Each structure stands twice: as structure tokens, then as C-alpha cells.
Amino acid sequence: MNIKMILFLMVSLTFSCSNDSSETLDENPAISNHSDDLDTIYFPPKTTNTWEKITVSELGWNTSSEKDLYDYLETKDSKAFIILKNGRIVIEKYFNGHTSTDSHPWYSAGKTLTSFTIGIAKQEEFLNINNSSATYIGPEWANITTEQETQITVKNHLTMTTGLNYNVSNQNCTDSTCLTYLNQPSTFWYYHNATYTLLQSIIEGATGQNFESYFDAKLKNKIGMTGKWINIGYASIFYSTARSMARFGLLNLNKGIWDNETILSDQNYFNEMTTTSQQMNQAYGYLWWLNGKSSFRAPSFETQFQGKLIPNAPDDLIAGLGKDDQKLYVVPSQNLVIVRMGGDTGEALLGPSSFDNDLWKKINALIGI
């Protein structure tokens, strides 16, 4: 049995036992079901199977553009697609036999979950992001000198600026032998998965709790998400339904507040997380991608590209972007949350791709922009 089949069976067995019935919902987006105050942000209940909906026509969007959007998504091996407006479902489509109860990998879009959880640990005073990461994961976690190790902070892990050598055969490897010195911290940006993955160990060292248990209690369960972290090699990948990703997007649309419950009260951290975090890559916050900047850097490249990350998307868009074009878009100016989960669209990139721009062209046609 090959590795892909083993992973498929493992994930299928995990979620056949763990999926919450609250996500077994009516998938017909043509039926409106909503309160009268459409300008306020709606939050779906955490424990029931209801989610308010509003139709494309009620919003005055272009119904004639719907089919073109769906056709495009289907040709690009999409499995799930959701648009929320003010928290209400406008569009919810599943393709090629997939349903609302199916779980999909977030891949690197899940980095946003870890960043948010770091913010919670910070507000609970378990950690300080300006402290050396060795404070929480102990010494000799990398094959560098003690002085070099001391200079790498938690913030460096959040911003992809540790300075550790990314010219290695396996950029996911978190063994100390794989982590060697290349640059002074905070002087160069490079998308290095291993330095991100260590943030989960940092949370464990700071809180004294298992990462997933802390994540579940402080974030996932509080907003009605389902899902599970699966370890694949050195990587830790979050799997969930598309609706769970949409819930997390809605939480961030409302700046860390779910309905009347504040999940992340540290607004300074939230603002730092979702704005430019360093000068080497304007389009990167704390593991969130940022649109509307004059330049950006991309995974697997050392060079800087001129122009916006996604030219067709709104400038204030923030995004979680993962391998095989997993997408979580949050657009505060339009109160939109958009989710796309599925297979490789043809580029197999970890971050931004031309698919983002082409998809936003279709979305803009639907919205009427």
C-alpha cells in the first residue's frame, strides 16, 4: 500500500469518528434564511446545525456570473467553495461528489491557526514573542552557537526571518542537524517550514500543555470548529471541513471576537499579525499573507517581486494560503470570507499563484466590481 493511500485511510478513519453533526447542513444556497438586520455580522451557533443564508440575488450580485465561477472551480479540481457575506452563506458548493462533512487539508493555510494560537498564549502571559525561542524549547534546538540561538526570537519564527539555512534537502526537517546558521536574524525573509513548525513546540514549552489540546480548548471549540492536526513526517497539517475554515475566517473578520465572546483580546497582536511584520516582505504578517502592497516575496524564491500579491483582489485582503491552492480569504472592507479547498490547480505552489488572480476575476464578476 503506498503512502498516499495510507494517509487517506488514516484521515478518513479519524474524521469518520470525530466530525461534529453541527456541520451536516443544508447545502442549497438558493434558499434564503436570515434575520432582518443584514448589516450586522452573523455568527452561526456553535452546537446546532443551522447557518443563516442570503442569496446572490438578494445582495444584488450578478446571478449570470454564477455558472462561470462554478465551472471554473470545477475545472480546477476544487472540492469545496464558500462565500460568506457578513457571516451569512451566500454560496456553498461542493464538487465531484464531495459534501459539507468531508475534511480537507489546510496545508500552509493552517499557519494562520498557529499564529492566532500564539496570540492567545501571549495574552495569557505564557510567552513574549520578543523572547528568544530557546526560552520555551530549550537550548541546542539548532546546530548553531549559543549566542546565535539566543538572538532568534519567537517573532522571527512568526515572520520567517530566523536566518537559519534554508538550503537544505528537507526544509520541513526540525532536527537540530537540519537547522544551521545562514543569516543574522531579522535581516532576510525566506519561507522556511521547519522554523514555522517549531512554533507548536514553543506553545507547548510555554504553556506546559499539548499543542492540540491547548488549540482545541482556546480556539477550535470556542467557535464551533471541528478538525484535527495530523503529523505527516515533520509537518503538522490541520484537516477540517470547509465550514470550519469559514468559521475561522469569520473570527478574523471580526478581529478575534466570536459573537459576544472575545477569543483574542490582544488587539495590538492582532493588528501586528495582519499587517506588514518586517521590511523584507511587505506582503507578510505573522504567517498571514497581505494584499495591496507594492512588492512581495514568495515561497521557494529569494527574489522580490514588484506589484500586489493578488492584483484582482481588494487591497485590504488578508489570506491563509496553502499547497494545492487551499485558500482562506478575509476582506474587511466588504465583510467577506471566502474559502476554497481542493486539489492542485496546476501550479502546486505553497503560497500565492495565478489561480488567486484568476479566481478573483470570477469573484469580482459575481459581486459586480
Side-chain angles (χ1 to χ4, degrees):
M1 185 179 294
N2 64 36
I3 187 64
K4 289 185 177 179
M5 181 59 70
I6 292 171
L7 292 176
F8 174 79
L9 291 174
M10 178 175 67
V11 172
S12 298
L13 288 171
T14 298
F15 286 101
S16 66
C17 299
S18 66
N19 265 342
D20 190 313
S21 62
S22 67
E23 299 203 2
T24 308
L25 303 170
D26 176 15
E27 295 167 14
N28 183 358
I31 301 173
S32 63
N33 174 23
H34 54 73
S35 57
D36 293 331
D37 189 2
L38 300 180
D39 292 330
T40 61
I41 295 183
Y42 162 81
F43 296 90
K46 292 186 284 187
T47 57
T48 67
N49 63 348
T50 57
W51 195 315
E52 286 191 5
K53 300 179 182 181
I54 188 168
T55 66
V56 170
S57 58
E58 283 181 296
L59 289 169
W61 293 359
N62 296 325
T63 55
S64 60
S65 297
E66 280 188 79
K67 186 177 185 303
D68 187 40
L69 171 62
Y70 302 152
D71 289 346
Y72 175 72
L73 288 164
E74 188 162 21
T75 61
K76 292 296 184 177
D77 196 22
S78 299
K79 298 173 182 176
F81 185 76
I82 293 174
I83 296 181
L84 305 182
K85 174 69 172 179
N86 286 328
R88 296 167 182 83
I89 293 175
V90 185
I91 287 173
E92 182 177 29
K93 283 288 184 181
Y94 298 92
F95 303 90
N96 300 316
H98 292 276
T99 71
S100 64
T101 60
D102 290 336
S103 290
H104 309 281
W106 289 40
Y107 293 126
S108 286
K111 287 179 168 68
T112 58
L113 295 168
T114 302
S115 177
F116 197 101
T117 307
I118 285 280
I120 295 173
K122 176 181 179 293
Q123 82 179 12
E124 294 189 333
E125 300 184 350
F126 284 118
L127 59 76
N128 183 328
I129 64 171
N130 294 312
N131 283 350
S132 167
S133 50
T135 305
Y136 309 107
I137 54 178
E140 300 181 359
W141 60 270
N143 188 22
I144 56 181
T145 68
T146 300
E147 181 181 359
Q148 290 168 343
E149 190 176 79
T150 302
Q151 292 174 352
I152 299 174
T153 66
V154 176
K155 186 174 180 179
N156 289 132
H157 291 261
L158 285 167
T159 58
M160 298 289 183
T161 59
T162 62
L164 294 178
N165 192 354
Y166 48 83
N167 299 307
V168 291
S169 59
N170 184 354
Q171 290 186 2
N172 293 319
C173 177
T174 55
D175 295 341
S176 62
T177 53
C178 296
L179 304 173
T180 59
Y181 184 85
L182 181 63
N183 300 303
Q184 184 76 11
S186 304
T187 64
F188 195 78
W189 188 94
Y190 194 87
Y191 196 85
H192 190 177
N193 267 328
T195 61
Y196 149 73
T197 302
L198 287 168
L199 284 167
Q200 297 188 1
S201 296
I202 287 171
I203 290 172
E204 291 187 339
T207 64
Q209 300 176 45
N210 170 268
F211 168 74
E212 185 163 14
S213 297
Y214 186 76
F215 166 81
D216 286 355
K218 301 296 182 176
L219 174 54
K220 188 184 83 172
N221 297 342
K222 286 182 177 292
I223 65 172
M225 291 177 66
T226 61
K228 187 170 182 61
W229 292 91
I230 302 291
N231 291 324
I232 302 174
Y234 290 101
S236 181
I237 308 297
F238 192 68
Y239 282 74
S240 83
T241 64
R243 288 194 173 200
S244 281
M245 183 183 272
R247 283 176 179 268
F248 181 64
L250 184 56
L251 175 66
N252 284 275
L253 179 66
N254 207 40
K255 296 186 175 182
I257 301 172
W258 184 266
D259 204 357
N260 294 319
E261 183 177 5
T262 300
I263 310 299
L264 180 59
S265 60
D266 188 340
Q267 286 301 296
N268 286 333
Y269 180 87
F270 183 90
N271 291 335
E272 291 170 2
M273 180 177 71
T274 55
T275 56
T276 301
S277 59
Q278 30 60 52
Q279 293 308 306
M280 287 75 70
N281 186 356
Q282 296 180 24
Y284 209 68
Y286 294 168
L287 307 175
W288 282 86
W289 291 93
L290 317 172
N291 200 36
K293 310 304 178 183
S294 61
S295 64
F296 65 92
R297 293 179 185 267
S300 303
F301 291 92
E302 296 180 344
T303 54
Q304 179 173 274
F305 299 92
Q306 297 303 307
K308 300 175 184 178
L309 189 73
I310 310 173
N312 285 334
D315 283 354
D316 65 328
L317 172 144
I318 62 173
L321 305 176
K323 189 183 77 163
D324 293 346
D325 282 302
Q326 314 310 316
K327 309 294 182 185
L328 172 59
Y329 302 129
V330 178
V331 185
S333 62
Q334 299 181 31
N335 280 347
L336 291 174
V337 173
I338 300 175
V339 167
R340 184 271 179 187
M341 305 182 93
D344 176 16
T345 64
E347 299 189 37
L349 296 178
L350 297 173
S353 68
S354 63
F355 172 76
D356 291 275
N357 211 39
D358 293 340
L359 177 57
W360 268 99
K361 184 177 181 180
K362 306 291 184 184
I363 294 170
N364 288 339
L366 176 72
I367 295 174
I369 296 176

